[in-house]
Amino acid sequence: MRKLPFLNGVRAFEAAARAEGFTRAAAELHVTPAAVSRMVQLLEQRLGVALFERKANRLTLTPAGRTYQAGLTPILDQLALLTAQVTGMAGSRVLTIGVGPTFATRWLIPRLAEFQKCAPDVEVRIATGGATVPYNDEWTCGVRLGEGSWPGFGAERLFAAELRPVCAPAIAKRLRRPEDLRNVRLLRVAHAADDWQRWFQSVGLGKIRARGPQFDYYGQALQAAADGVGVAMGISPYVDDDLEAGRLKAPFAQSVSKGESWFLIYPEARKVALEAFRGWITRAAGVG
């Protein structure tokens, strides 16, 4: 039969040893400093060994206390991790996807009904943010643009990120050569300032500079392009559906890689709902 120590005392002692005092430990454990002190005293009585030397305004670990804390802290860290994994399984049918607003509206949401047919019991939650928003611990997974390396996360490549100018059909009729872009408004995206220059360099027009309205997101620039405001730099897969439907036109065949790709990323500790989404999105992206 397993013989365990006084667990409340163990928790109080480890917190006090790590925090180097009863007051900070009490704040962490949401009890009073006196309660922490009392639980540690009870633990010491049951162990038959002193864990702290108590001096005026000072708390010092005894040799036994240092040995005990060195072993306890990793054990409690592992217990916290295991608890998080198990409690996460209770909400394993909830899928929270962290994506940028343009990816959500221009690719994911139009295909969401397809995923729900594949996994009707999964509750989907879409969380959007800008291109530089870090991964949120409450997300199940995310779709990010990058080079494929996110420490602590799994990453699976979904799409290449290809750049090409796009515009309304009426404007496309006036654009016969890339040089014709000198005479139209070139719509820009604030967080992708080098997109136009990258494309111009690929067609030998590196001296042209994009000057036109600037938007926070690709989706805003693409909507403005569809409304005839000017020519936007389209990025796949944002423009794929609009090009297929004829809402936007790509007046030139030349495209250039953005130098990054779209990845599905997820924490190393996966949830059940992620597996259903992972299987679906890799098939939808043509890589599964």
Side-chain angles (χ1 to χ4, degrees):
M1 181 176 177
R2 181 184 293 119
K3 185 178 180 180
L4 295 175
F6 171 45
L7 295 181
N8 283 340
V10 165
R11 189 176 175 217
F13 161 73
E14 192 276 336
R18 182 165 34 80
E20 299 181 342
F22 292 149
T23 300
R24 286 193 291 270
E28 178 181 325
L29 299 176
H30 305 291
V31 296
T32 65
V36 174
S37 177
R38 179 59 179 161
M39 285 188 284
V40 172
Q41 286 179 338
L42 288 173
L43 176 65
E44 289 174 317
Q45 291 173 9
R46 297 185 186 188
L47 293 177
V49 62
L51 300 173
F52 284 116
E53 291 181 8
R54 294 163 175 82
K55 300 179 181 179
N57 299 319
R58 186 180 176 187
L59 197 64
T60 305
L61 285 166
T62 65
R66 284 194 295 271
T67 299
Y68 206 30
Q69 192 237 332
L72 279 178
T73 295
I75 290 173
L76 294 180
D77 286 343
Q78 283 297 114
L79 178 60
L81 177 61
L82 178 61
T83 301
Q85 291 175 342
V86 171
T87 54
M89 292 174 66
S92 62
R93 307 311 292 181
V94 174
L95 177 76
T96 303
I97 311 164
V99 292
T102 304
F103 190 93
T105 56
R106 291 199 162 253
W107 193 89
L108 182 57
I109 292 174
R111 292 165 174 78
L112 204 53
E114 298 174 14
F115 171 65
Q116 294 282 229
K117 290 178 182 177
C118 299
D121 60 332
V122 172
E123 178 186 339
V124 178
R125 301 175 185 175
I126 306 294
T128 60
T132 59
V133 172
Y135 192 96
N136 188 309
D137 289 340
E138 296 180 359
W139 297 352
T140 310
C141 61
V143 178
R144 309 294 276 182
L145 185 63
E147 297 178 355
S149 177
W150 286 272
F153 294 88
E156 298 186 33
R157 186 176 182 273
L158 298 174
F159 315 98
E162 294 289 322
L163 300 171
R164 69 188 70 190
V166 296
C167 57
I171 294 179
K173 292 178 181 179
R174 308 200 307 263
L175 302 175
R176 300 183 180 278
R177 302 174 303 163
E179 290 88 341
D180 294 338
L181 290 171
R182 298 177 189 271
N183 304 316
V184 295
R185 295 188 189 91
L186 302 182
L187 311 180
R188 299 171 296 150
V189 177
H191 65 79
D194 64 341
D195 282 0
W196 273 111
Q197 198 59 32
R198 183 184 292 270
W199 189 85
F200 278 133
Q201 288 176 349
S202 76
V203 296
L205 297 172
K207 293 183 179 181
I208 297 181
R209 294 291 181 268
R211 293 181 176 85
Q214 179 172 287
F215 301 89
D216 285 338
Y217 301 115
Y218 279 108
Q220 296 168 335
L222 294 174
Q223 184 61 55
D227 291 339
V229 176
V231 181
M233 182 54 66
I235 180 174
S236 55
Y238 291 173
V239 296
D240 294 354
D241 291 348
D242 283 337
L243 290 173
E244 184 176 349
R247 291 185 292 269
L248 290 171
K249 294 289 186 181
F252 312 112
Q254 297 95 329
S255 66
V256 63
S257 171
K258 187 174 173 64
E260 299 174 309
S261 296
W262 294 99
F263 289 84
L264 172 69
I265 68 170
Y266 45 81
E268 293 175 343
R270 303 182 187 179
K271 294 183 179 180
V272 175
L274 170 63
E275 297 305 321
F277 182 71
R278 175 176 169 270
W280 171 81
I281 197 171
T282 53
R283 291 192 300 273
V287 295

